[in-house]
Amino acid sequence: MKPDLSFRIYSTSASLPEDWDTISKNNIFLSVAYMSILEKAAPENMDCHFIGLFRNDKLCGIALAQHIDLSKVNTFVEDKKSFCFKDYVFGLFTSHTLVVGNNMLTGQNAFLLTDEIATSEALKLLRKTIKELIHIYKKKRIRLNMLAVKDFNAHELPDFKTAGFKGYYQFCTQPNMIFDIKPEWLSIDDYLSDLNTKYRTQYNRARKKAEGIEKRKLTAQDIKEQEQRIHDLYMTVARNASFNTFHLPEDHFTIFKQQLKDNFLFYGYFINNELVGFSTLIRNGCDMDTYFLGYDDKVQKEKMLYLNMLYDMVSYAIKKQFKHVIFARSAMEIKSSVGARAEQVFGIIKHTNPIINLFMPRLFPYFDPKITWKERNPFK
């Protein structure tokens, strides 16, 4: 690595270089505003580090790393009633995990670079950053067990070998579900006309079921007033997940709205003025990212609320002429039923204990939740 390259680790958004956002303009999830959200409203078991990459003291890359204390979360089951062997072993070997990237999102939100630094050079700097963070936590009497970098496309993986990431196990878990918006779609009616009869019927049935539900766009003040109810609805969904590495704090969405303003959309779903569900969207350039949601289980089943939320997201993205809706992981089959395609994303992971790391090809598949689903094609 050339001696003119260096890195710096920041723990607050206020300390970031003035020109940080000249690079982050291509991804809101690496912007100063979003770093501020992570600083103020990250999950309780997560510490975030913001990384600047420099050539001759000029900022030429930005990155994010997160330390996750998995001992504070019931990873595989929520509200355990009995001893869970898998959870026990997982916590024993992976209590403290360092992720280069964003564990709260799907997609390449790990770093952004200018033309003044090659990807292989940046990755070599990030490898040095990882070593420095291991040292920082060691001084805090915290031993980092797992090191990971996520989420990348297959063609990006050779860069890691070039950069010297040795001993890492390459993994691929649930895909990123991406909805592509055709340029000729100008309204939801154009989308519906491209659906085959079966899925057009599904759409009409879902909309019929949703009668009686009022959808509202909430302000920061509205979100603040509904914080407890929002958190309860969010936790209903989180508890049903097969795998959890964090839980959002109660004020997360309020701070999110305060920081991202119009780039963060929060929709509440009401019956008789009672909040029974919510969905969130983030404007990110030509893409629209879906974020966390929540709902009342009973209402979800009776009103097909989740499916209606997906249709609302598609409708909004078409109306506003985005190019893609990033639906992220989870619920792959129902997302594919509205037209999302599966895109495989990869990561690399390594245990800091070299003996345990030898068994990573067997350990990772054991802990990785297996989800069987059928891909749907709703279009003619």
Side-chain angles (χ1 to χ4, degrees):
M1 187 175 63
K2 296 180 181 179
D4 56 353
L5 294 173
S6 61
F7 68 87
R8 295 171 202 162
I9 300 171
Y10 306 91
S11 57
T12 65
S13 57
S15 62
L16 295 176
E18 290 183 4
D19 50 348
W20 183 280
D21 274 343
T22 62
I23 299 176
S24 72
K25 64 179 184 286
N26 294 319
N27 187 345
I28 198 170
F29 297 117
L30 285 166
S31 67
V32 173
Y34 182 77
M35 298 298 105
S36 178
I37 294 169
L38 292 180
E39 180 188 350
K40 297 174 182 177
E44 183 184 355
N45 66 326
M46 181 183 291
D47 300 319
C48 298
H49 304 275
F50 319 128
I51 303 158
L53 308 179
F54 297 84
R55 186 187 293 280
N56 296 325
D57 289 329
K58 181 180 179 181
L59 187 69
C60 56
I62 56 178
L64 171 67
Q66 297 174 332
H67 162 244
I68 308 162
D69 184 353
L70 294 173
S71 67
K72 295 182 178 179
V73 177
N74 293 332
T75 308
F76 292 97
V77 285
E78 185 62 32
D79 295 330
K80 290 182 286 188
K81 296 180 181 179
S82 60
F83 176 73
C84 174
F85 177 75
K86 181 180 278 192
D87 208 42
Y88 171 75
V89 175
F90 187 82
L92 193 64
F93 294 122
T94 65
S95 292
H96 295 282
T97 297
L98 181 71
V99 177
V100 176
N102 195 326
N103 194 53
M104 301 165 67
L105 303 167
T106 304
Q108 206 291 72
N109 299 296
F111 60 81
L112 279 174
L113 311 173
T114 69
D115 293 336
E116 296 178 57
I117 185 169
T119 302
S120 58
E121 291 179 311
L123 288 175
K124 287 177 182 177
L125 275 180
L126 288 175
R127 194 159 54 85
K128 285 198 163 189
T129 306
I130 291 171
K131 290 181 179 179
E132 178 63 21
L133 286 168
I134 291 172
H135 180 67
I136 289 172
Y137 279 99
K138 190 176 181 180
K139 288 197 293 185
K140 297 179 182 179
R141 299 181 182 273
I142 295 174
R143 177 182 172 83
L144 294 177
N145 308 112
M146 297 289 291
L147 311 173
V149 190
K150 65 178 281 286
D151 292 310
F152 297 88
N153 295 324
H155 72 270
E156 297 173 294
L157 290 170
D159 289 325
F160 289 92
K161 291 184 179 179
T162 304
F165 278 82
K166 297 178 181 179
Y168 281 78
Y169 171 73
Q170 179 181 311
F171 66 90
C172 178
T173 56
Q174 297 176 26
N176 192 5
M177 301 302 293
I178 299 175
F179 183 91
D180 302 311
I181 297 171
K182 297 180 181 179
E184 61 267 27
W185 290 346
L186 301 179
S187 70
I188 191 65
D189 291 333
D190 296 325
Y191 160 75
L192 292 174
S193 67
D194 275 357
L195 295 179
N196 62 41
T197 302
K198 175 182 176 180
Y199 290 97
R200 202 159 51 245
T201 301
Q202 173 182 280
Y203 176 89
N204 291 329
R205 179 170 175 263
R207 290 317 203 188
K208 183 73 174 175
K209 286 273 191 179
E211 290 180 357
I213 294 180
E214 180 190 359
K215 178 186 171 188
R216 303 178 198 163
K217 184 189 287 187
L218 272 59
T219 65
Q221 183 59 36
D222 296 331
I223 298 169
K224 178 67 177 175
E225 292 171 0
Q226 294 270 6
E227 267 185 4
Q228 183 59 59
R229 178 61 174 164
I230 289 168
H231 188 69
D232 290 343
L233 296 173
Y234 156 72
M235 287 303 298
T236 297
V237 177
R239 288 191 183 100
N240 289 330
S242 60
F243 188 82
N244 280 306
T245 56
F246 62 86
H247 289 146
L248 299 176
E250 287 187 19
D251 62 352
H252 182 81
F253 298 107
T254 301
I255 292 173
F256 218 110
K257 184 64 175 175
Q258 290 170 347
Q259 294 298 317
L260 291 193
K261 299 181 171 56
D262 290 341
N263 285 323
F264 179 63
L265 306 175
F266 190 106
Y267 291 100
Y269 292 78
F270 295 82
I271 295 179
N272 297 327
N273 221 34
E274 180 188 3
L275 185 67
V276 295
F278 71 90
S279 66
T280 54
L281 302 172
I282 301 166
R283 296 169 175 156
N284 191 12
C286 62
D287 293 340
M288 188 185 75
D289 285 66
T290 63
Y291 199 49
F292 293 94
L293 54 79
Y295 50 67
D296 181 297
D297 250 339
K298 186 178 179 182
V299 174
Q300 142 63 15
K301 292 172 183 175
E302 290 179 357
K303 298 289 189 177
M304 300 175 71
L305 184 54
Y306 181 67
L307 183 57
N308 276 293
M309 288 178 178
L310 296 181
Y311 285 132
D312 285 343
M313 295 169 184
V314 167
S315 180
Y316 178 84
I318 293 172
K319 180 181 178 181
K320 296 298 183 180
Q321 289 292 285
F322 286 90
K323 290 186 177 180
H324 310 96
V325 181
I326 311 301
F327 277 128
R329 294 189 173 99
S330 79
M332 285 82 73
E333 189 162 333
I334 192 171
K335 288 173 181 175
S336 73
S337 79
V338 304
R341 60 178 171 84
E343 180 179 274
Q344 296 295 335
V345 287
F346 299 84
I348 57 172
I349 194 166
K350 180 180 183 179
H351 201 284
T352 55
N353 183 313
I355 303 300
I356 297 175
N357 196 53
L358 288 173
F359 294 94
M360 191 59 70
R362 291 185 180 182
L363 288 171
F364 189 89
Y366 172 72
F367 290 113
D368 184 30
K370 299 294 185 295
I371 297 177
T372 302
W373 66 285
K374 185 176 180 180
E375 190 167 3
R376 307 291 180 176
N377 181 13
F379 299 111
K380 294 175 183 176

